[in-house]
Amino acid sequence: AQTVTQSQPEMSVQEAETVTLSCTYDTSESNYYLFWYKQPPSRQMILVIRQEAYKQQNATENRFSVNFQKAAKSFSLKISDSQLGDTAMYFCAFWPRLKETSGSRLTFGEGTQLTVNP
Amino acid sequence: KAGVTQTPRYLIKTRGQQVTLSCSPISGHRSVSWYQQTPGQGLQFLFEYFSETQRNKGNFPGRFSGRQFSNSRSEMNVSTLELGDSALYLCASRESRDNYEQYFGPGTRLTVT
């Protein structure tokens, strides 16, 4: 079984500054995907960024980037130039790439509530 | 393309009743998964359907069931509702079982009184 841990229940940042959200995971799988989702007050879950475990290069999507440390089983999200619209709950999620017949599912962390202050 | 849609958005039911929630995936997506989100338990996987067959199931009692139709639309049913079933139920779709990006709907907020 996989577990995902987000040790920061709440964080705040000033507009235009940079913030990093932490995530660690535990798995015996060697092939998997990692995701960051954001859930704003509307409750709509939005995919922010994904990382494939076999890729050493860290994923980047505009102002969002990750620091993927496979050996340490760490997957942090960095948000640059924070905007008010970034205020949301952020979830780290793990998805093992299993055989077709085995089935697999997303396992989520507890979430980090990020507030961007003007 | 239109996103994942879920109906209804809000629902109030009484203990003991049953409820059916509906999810229409993104056009072309064949896999639909359901998740339950509560303040205490967080996000938990319920089940996944692909090609009208349940492919994976989470650790929920048999009162939770689902199905998928030939057009990939999915329904989730909860029978004999309990107060603890009050939650946000999220549906997510993905294009195929080899594609690991899931896109979520807005959710159905179920309140059991």
Side-chain angles (χ1 to χ4, degrees):
Chain A
Q2 294 82 27
T3 59
V4 179
T5 303
Q6 295 179 248
S7 58
Q8 307 150 313
E10 297 180 356
M11 293 191 73
S12 63
V13 64
Q14 292 298 123
E15 199 174 3
E17 292 187 345
T18 296
V19 63
T20 299
L21 309 183
S22 301
C23 171
T24 59
Y25 57 95
D26 188 24
T27 184
S28 58
E29 301 294 334
S30 59
N31 199 0
Y32 50 85
Y33 294 87
L34 293 161
F35 302 87
W36 279 97
Y37 281 90
K38 66 180 279 190
Q39 189 177 42
S42 68
R43 309 301 278 174
Q44 174 82 51
M45 193 78 78
I46 300 165
L47 176 63
V48 174
I49 198 166
R50 82 167 194 175
Q51 175 78 42
E52 293 143 355
Y54 65 87
K55 288 187 177 179
Q56 291 186 335
Q57 186 173 6
N58 290 323
T60 300
E61 286 288 342
N62 300 314
R63 298 182 295 108
F64 299 88
S65 62
V66 299
N67 184 5
F68 173 48
Q69 301 290 328
K70 190 172 184 178
K73 295 181 182 176
S74 170
F75 183 61
S76 61
L77 174 70
K78 185 172 81 171
I79 306 174
S80 304
D81 185 27
S82 296
Q83 301 176 359
L84 296 178
D86 294 334
T87 292
M89 181 74 86
Y90 285 81
F91 292 96
C92 178
F94 174 96
W95 199 334
R97 188 168 183 167
L98 303 178
K99 292 178 182 177
E100 177 69 16
T101 56
S102 299
S104 61
R105 83 278 299 266
L106 269 176
T107 299
F108 287 90
E110 308 91 332
T112 296
Q113 176 62 50
L114 176 67
T115 301
V116 180
N117 300 307
Chain B
K1 286 185 181 178
V4 178
T5 59
Q6 292 186 246
T7 57
R9 294 293 310 279
Y10 303 91
L11 206 51
I12 300 175
K13 289 287 188 178
T14 305
R15 269 182 304 177
Q17 289 185 317
Q18 75 167 18
V19 67
T20 299
L21 312 182
S22 180
C23 171
S24 292
I26 292 172
S27 177
H29 285 199
R30 299 171 62 194
S31 169
V32 173
S33 295
W34 290 88
Y35 295 83
Q36 181 196 64
Q37 186 176 22
T38 61
Q41 300 298 317
L43 280 151
Q44 294 186 291
F45 172 80
L46 280 155
F47 29 65
E48 179 186 24
Y49 285 86
F50 181 78
S51 294
E52 302 177 61
T53 302
Q54 187 180 91
R55 303 289 180 164
N56 203 356
K57 190 179 193 311
N59 189 26
F60 278 82
R63 299 186 297 107
F64 291 82
S65 64
R67 59 178 175 169
Q68 187 181 33
F69 302 94
S70 58
N71 61 358
S72 295
R73 189 178 71 84
S74 176
E75 288 183 346
M76 189 191 92
N77 184 274
V78 188
S79 63
T80 319
L81 284 166
E82 300 177 0
L83 295 178
D85 296 333
S86 294
L88 180 68
Y89 289 89
L90 293 166
C91 164
S93 75
R94 55 184 172 134
E95 192 170 345
S96 69
R97 299 210 73 212
D98 292 327
N99 188 310
Y100 288 79
E101 285 190 6
Q102 276 193 337
Y103 296 89
F104 285 79
T108 293
R109 169 73 67 186
L110 172 64
T111 302
V112 182
T113 62

